[in-house]
Amino acid sequence: QLNQITSPKIIFALSAEARGRVNSVYLASMFVIGASGSLIGSASFEAGGWLLTTAIGAAVGAVSLGVFLLCDRKDVDRFETR
């Protein structure tokens, strides 16, 4: 949910020329990711029930946390509006 608020804030802080293109890529990416999650969730439940589904969900969460913790976050200030 927080991503749905933060990402548009960053996008709308960009120049007017880039705003539309970046917003289109953002929305298309969110749709593809959501559809992929539905596909993976349905397939995993069919293949292994809740145990496999929750294991895959936990693995995705762990990988996301690892990427978040390992990425260089020095350039975060460039997105802040003044």
Side-chain angles (χ1 to χ4, degrees), residues 25-54:
V25 170
Y26 167 72
L27 288 175
S29 299
M30 292 304 293
F31 175 78
V32 169
I33 291 168
S36 299
S38 295
L39 177 68
I40 292 168
S42 299
S44 66
F45 183 75
E46 183 67 28
W50 281 114
L51 184 61
L52 180 61
T53 303
T54 56

Side-chain angles (χ1 to χ4, degrees), residues 17-18 33 41-42 57-59 65 68 70 73 80-81:
E17 296 82 26
I33 291 168
S42 299
L65 180 62
F68 175 77
L70 294 175
R73 303 198 33 97
E80 292 183 11
T81 58

